[in-house]
Structure formats: C-alpha cells, structure tokens
Amino acid sequence: MISSPEEAKLVLVSKAHLFKPTFPASKERMLGKQAIFFQRGEYHTKLRKLVLTAFMPETIKNKILDIESIAVSLLQSWEGKLINTFQEMKTYTFNVALLFIFGRDEVLYREDLKRCYYILEKVYNSMPMNLPGTLFHKAMKARKDLAQILAKILKLRRQMKHDFSDLLGYLMDDEEGQDDEQIADNIIGVIFAARDTTASLITWILKFLAENPSVLHAVTEEQESIIKNKVERGEDRILSWADTKKMTITKRVIQESLRVASILSFTFREAVEDVEFNGYLIPKGWKVLPLFRNIHHSRDNFCDPEKFDPSRFEVAPKANAFMPFGSGTHSCPGNELAKLEILVLIHHLTTKYRWVKLS
C-alpha cells in the first residue's frame, strides 16, 4: 500500500510500465475484458484517445444546454419532496452519461439500458459465482441483454450511415475497427465510470454545503451574480461555457469535496514482474494500492486535513498530493464532464431552490 505522493507518482506515472491496472474478477466479468480499464500499451492509447474525444472541453461545451435540460427536469421532480440524494444523483449522472454516449437518441434506449444496468451494478464487487438463482447469475444475464441492446443500436446506426458526434460514433468510426464486443465492453465501462463516482461526489457536495452555511451562502451568491450579470447585459438565463469559467468558489467546493470525500479512495495495480521498490521487493502478481484517501488526509500535504475548507484551494496544493481522478495514462478521461455536470446542477439548485439535509 502506497501512501505518499512521491511513491504514488512512481507507480502511476514514472514506473507505470511495471504495474498493470487490475480490478476484482467480478468487475472484469461485468464490464468486459476489452474495456479501457484493463488495457495497456497501444490498444489502451487508442481507446483513451477515442474516449477523450467525446469528453474533451471542445466537445462537452456544446452540450451544456442538453445537460441543463436533464438537470432542470430532475430538480423539478423533487419539488416539495423528501429525496434519497444518492439515488437521485445516480439517475442524473446516468442520463448525462447516456447523452454523451448516444447523443440525443439516448432517450430511445434509456429505459431498456437502465433496466439491465441497474441489475448489473449490484454485483460489481461480489464473489463471481455464476450459479443459477444467484444475483451474480442474474447480472450475467443482464450483461448479455445489455450487449444485445447495444448490438441493435449498432445495426441501426450502420443502416443510417450518418456521422454521429458521440462516443458510440467515435468508437464505430475507429479506422482500425472495433468489433461489436469491444464496443459493448467499452460502452458499459464508460457508463460504470461516469455514473456512481460522480453521483457520490455530488451527494457529498450537498452534504458539505448543508453543514457549512457560510460556504453555501458564498456559492449561492456567486451563482446568483452570474444570473444578475447576464440579465443586465440583456442575455437569456441559459448557462454558457463562459459562465462556468466564472464559478471559482463553486469549483473550490468541488475540489475540497473531492479531497475530503476521496471518492476514488485507492486504485488497483499489479506488478507485471518482480519490482525493487524503495528497498522492498514486490513479487510479480502482487497487488499495489496507491491510497489516495491517505494522501488527501495527510497533515504533510494539507493543513488541518479533516476540516472542510474550500479556501485552501486558492493556492495550488503540493505536487502530486491531490489526485482525485487518479494520475498518469489511466487517470479518468471524463473528469471535465464530471465537473461540468456538477456545476450545472449546483447552479440551478442554488439559484432556484432552498433545501435542507434531514440525515
């Protein structure tokens, strides 16, 4: 277990070729062996480039209006109700993920994909015992159904012969070719990566805002100021990419929430050969876990680390001490989208609603 910034960088960046990414066996079977998480070398580089194309700022900034529509619709469904925040956020992030995977056509497949995926997600970290009647067996069937749904979508798109500017389109247009199984593995993998972690982060953000009224007040003032300035300039209230650039306080809240909550607490790596590491021998096949939570909560890296204090990010943290999305070639390629969908939701939640945390 690695708990210092310098050693984490060695494993994830400097000596990354000595440590391959790995996950529990159940997760590998559910996502698919050809998903980007499990790859190394040229194939991983190619996949990462395709995924980054779908999630880079130049792409996502053109879909703010679509994200806003999803956020506003969800918030309206909460009015006057008691909600389970994490479950509602999983719905939000799932719908946003589908938007970037399938474009606006996602509404055509949303319910079928949701039905299968919600069964699948329950066994990601369970024992992979595929016995009839077990939840794992049902999840394997749901995984097969998901692949069949995706195969139908692929067949329909090939018949249409259109160019699609979404992740599925980029995977289909890969010059070296991706077969249906490879595409299915990577689509399911991206849904997994884009959904629960971001939903968990938003849940923590709302918890921290509710428990820190002065921070909530500062965020609300910043968001309302953006609206006020737009109205004074005679603009409509629809958010723009430029508006998100002005959300400095809100972005610090996101950063501090990422640090305190450490959604990605650690990551799995496996030694591909015997490795001499800082005086220790790590045998081939042994797991190595960089512990991001320990790094984020170390007094060597952050003053008063247990305190929720977004202002600490007015100054850049110590090098390699803040790795909320991992580091190196396997760092999260969708982090810009995650931050954007959070900014959009917080903007509408703080400017249009008042809410309280009950538990």
Side-chain angles (χ1 to χ4, degrees):
M1 295 186 179
I2 305 298
S3 59
S4 80
E6 296 77 18
E7 291 172 342
K9 181 183 178 183
L10 284 173
V11 171
L12 299 174
V13 183
S14 307
K15 295 186 178 181
H17 61 288
L18 298 178
F19 303 95
K20 68 178 182 179
T22 181
F23 285 81
S26 57
K27 191 165 288 183
E28 291 190 14
R29 292 181 67 176
M30 290 295 104
L31 298 181
K33 62 182 180 180
Q34 298 182 90
I36 187 173
F37 310 104
F38 315 124
Q39 308 307 315
R40 303 171 66 215
E42 292 183 5
Y43 181 57
H44 173 264
T45 300
K46 181 183 72 171
L47 279 176
R48 184 173 174 83
K49 183 178 179 181
L50 292 171
V51 174
L52 281 171
T53 302
F55 297 133
M56 63 184 180
E58 288 302 310
T59 303
I60 65 176
K61 73 179 185 180
N62 296 321
K63 294 188 177 181
I64 291 182
L65 185 61
D66 295 308
I67 298 174
E68 249 193 324
S69 177
I70 294 172
V72 170
S73 177
L74 187 69
L75 289 171
Q76 288 175 345
S77 73
W78 298 350
E79 292 179 2
K81 296 180 180 178
L82 173 65
I83 66 162
N84 179 309
T85 308
F86 184 47
Q87 295 303 319
E88 293 293 333
M89 294 310 168
K90 287 203 289 186
T91 297
Y92 174 58
T93 54
F94 183 80
N95 292 345
V96 172
L98 294 191
L99 170 67
F100 281 83
I101 294 170
F102 302 105
R104 293 180 179 176
D105 288 342
E106 62 91 10
V107 295
L108 302 175
Y109 322 118
R110 183 188 296 170
E111 293 307 314
D112 286 340
L113 291 167
K114 183 185 293 184
R115 172 178 51 81
C116 296
Y117 186 81
Y118 281 23
I119 297 173
L120 194 70
E121 68 168 353
K122 295 177 181 178
V123 301
Y124 274 142
N125 297 313
S126 66
M127 292 291 290
M129 300 175 64
N130 194 17
L131 300 175
T134 64
L135 188 57
F136 192 88
H137 184 77
K138 294 177 182 178
M140 288 298 294
K141 182 180 183 303
R143 174 62 173 79
K144 183 178 180 180
D145 291 344
L146 265 177
Q148 291 175 344
I149 294 170
L150 290 168
K152 291 178 182 178
I153 297 172
L154 288 168
K155 181 179 179 181
L156 179 61
R157 284 202 171 188
R158 288 174 180 134
Q159 291 173 345
M160 296 172 67
K161 297 181 179 180
H162 291 169
D163 291 328
F164 293 89
S165 58
D166 49 45
L167 178 59
L168 183 59
Y170 297 136
L171 291 173
M172 291 177 67
D173 291 341
D174 178 18
E175 293 180 357
E176 298 180 20
Q178 298 262 338
D179 61 34
D180 287 6
E181 184 179 351
Q182 287 174 303
I183 292 175
D185 287 359
N186 281 290
I187 291 299
I188 294 170
V190 168
I191 294 174
F192 157 73
R195 181 170 176 257
D196 280 19
T197 50
T198 307
S200 181
L201 175 57
I202 302 174
T203 302
W204 278 102
I205 289 172
L206 297 189
K207 167 183 164 59
F208 292 141
L209 289 176
E211 294 173 348
N212 296 271
S214 61
V215 178
L216 175 58
H217 179 72
V219 169
T220 302
E221 279 197 331
E222 178 177 73
Q223 298 296 337
E224 290 179 343
S225 175
I226 290 171
I227 292 295
K228 181 181 178 181
N229 291 335
K230 289 173 74 72
V231 171
E232 289 176 349
R233 293 193 301 268
E235 301 174 6
D236 57 44
R237 296 169 62 95
I238 297 174
L239 274 180
S240 68
W241 183 254
D243 293 330
T244 64
K245 295 292 185 181
K246 302 172 185 175
M247 300 179 184
T248 55
I249 296 175
T250 310
K251 288 178 180 177
R252 289 181 197 133
V253 169
I254 294 174
Q255 288 177 299
E256 180 67 342
S257 298
L258 282 164
R259 185 194 67 81
V260 177
S262 290
I263 306 302
L264 183 63
S265 297
F266 60 89
T267 188
F268 286 102
R269 291 293 185 270
E270 180 181 312
V272 298
E273 59 184 69
D274 289 353
V275 181
E276 288 285 347
F277 191 83
N278 290 356
Y280 293 91
L281 171 65
I282 301 177
K284 178 181 177 180
W286 277 41
K287 298 291 190 290
V288 179
L289 278 63
L291 304 176
F292 301 127
R293 180 181 296 277
N294 291 44
I295 294 170
H296 294 163
H297 284 257
S298 170
R299 294 184 183 278
D300 294 334
N301 304 321
F302 295 96
C303 178
D304 198 3
E306 301 306 315
K307 181 181 179 182
F308 181 78
D309 180 13
S311 67
R312 74 173 77 242
F313 282 94
E314 293 174 6
V315 178
K318 175 183 174 182
N320 304 304
F322 184 56
M323 294 183 282
F325 298 103
S327 186
T329 58
H330 283 274
S331 61
C332 176
N335 68 83
E336 292 297 331
L337 173 59
K339 287 182 281 190
L340 177 60
E341 62 184 299
I342 294 169
L343 290 173
V344 170
L345 186 74
I346 290 178
H347 172 78
H348 287 281
L349 184 61
T350 55
T351 58
K352 297 179 181 177
Y353 297 93
R354 295 295 176 265
W355 43 274
V356 294
K357 180 177 75 72
L358 296 185
S359 63

